[in-house]
Amino acid sequence: MESVKSQYQKELEGYKHELDLIKQKSERYSSKQFELYQGFWSSLCDLENLAESLWSHAIKENLIAFIVQLKKTKDKVKRGFLFIPDADYRELQHLLDKCSSYQIGKSELICYIFSDAPSPFEIQQMTDRNSQFRQDYIRIIQKIGVNLKKQIVSQ
């Protein structure tokens, strides 16, 4: 009887050890994911602020600042790929694609405005396209914010 009890005790200790290892892994993953999500959100907020500056003042300096932040945000998302769920990663990629389209649209607008004979009609069309990109990225950023918050709270 004592030997059976001893064997069960050893098995129980083994299971406890395995559970501790799983718990430690899970805590490390959650901690890293939490850290990444904070970084993503901060980077997205910076990107949104620069996009709004570019919307208000379509000038070369604002465009350059937006391009630099977009590159930083893309890099941050790429580096965090291993720690974020696929659905969140796809949503972030979708947002970054919209921001890239916004960048291209604003680049074209800035170049066109400073051309020899800008047409008010063409400028309005470009502005309307950029407005759609702007509405899209604002909507996606809000959705990502909700998703990130859910992910953090569920940890």
Side-chain angles (χ1 to χ4, degrees):
M1 180 76 154
E2 214 38 59
S3 67
V4 172
K5 183 178 177 183
S6 175
Q7 182 163 343
Y8 283 135
Q9 189 65 30
K10 285 180 186 177
E11 283 183 41
L12 185 60
E13 289 301 317
Y15 292 138
K16 284 181 181 179
H17 180 69
E18 286 179 39
L19 282 174
D20 283 342
L21 291 176
I22 292 170
K23 181 181 174 187
Q24 288 173 9
K25 252 191 226 182
S26 176
E27 287 173 352
R28 277 195 312 266
Y29 181 84
S30 292
S31 175
K32 182 65 176 175
Q33 194 177 46
F34 180 78
E35 179 185 313
L36 282 171
Y37 279 19
Q38 284 179 313
F40 291 157
W41 186 247
S42 176
S43 191
L44 289 173
C45 287
D46 291 344
L47 186 63
E48 183 179 26
N49 290 337
L50 290 168
E52 289 302 308
S53 293
L54 185 55
W55 176 257
S56 299
H57 305 289
I59 57 174
K60 188 177 180 180
E61 292 79 8
N62 287 348
L63 178 63
I64 291 169
F66 179 78
I67 291 168
V68 168
Q69 184 60 43
L70 180 57
K71 184 178 179 344
K72 287 179 185 177
T73 304
K74 284 180 176 182
D75 186 58
K76 192 173 288 262
V77 169
K78 183 178 179 182
R79 290 176 186 272
F81 172 75
L82 295 177
F83 294 95
I84 58 176
D86 290 341
D88 289 348
Y89 185 78
R90 282 191 301 275
E91 197 70 35
L92 287 165
Q93 285 300 326
H94 182 62
L95 170 65
L96 296 174
D97 290 345
K98 289 291 182 184
C99 287
S100 293
S101 296
Y102 182 71
Q103 171 201 327
I104 292 166
K106 282 299 197 175
S107 296
E108 290 171 351
L109 179 63
I110 289 168
C111 288
Y112 189 74
I113 287 172
F114 292 105
S115 69
D116 290 335
S119 154
F121 176 74
E122 287 290 323
I123 290 173
Q124 186 59 50
Q125 281 190 316
M126 290 179 172
T127 301
D128 290 345
R129 276 193 307 272
N130 287 330
S131 177
Q132 185 59 51
F133 291 137
R134 180 175 174 255
Q135 290 170 5
D136 288 347
Y137 77 68
I138 288 171
R139 179 186 49 77
I140 295 168
I141 284 177
Q142 289 171 346
K143 183 178 177 184
I144 288 172
V146 169
N147 290 346
L148 294 178
K149 196 171 187 177
K150 283 180 186 176
Q151 192 70 20
I152 289 169
V153 169
S154 72
Q155 292 178 6

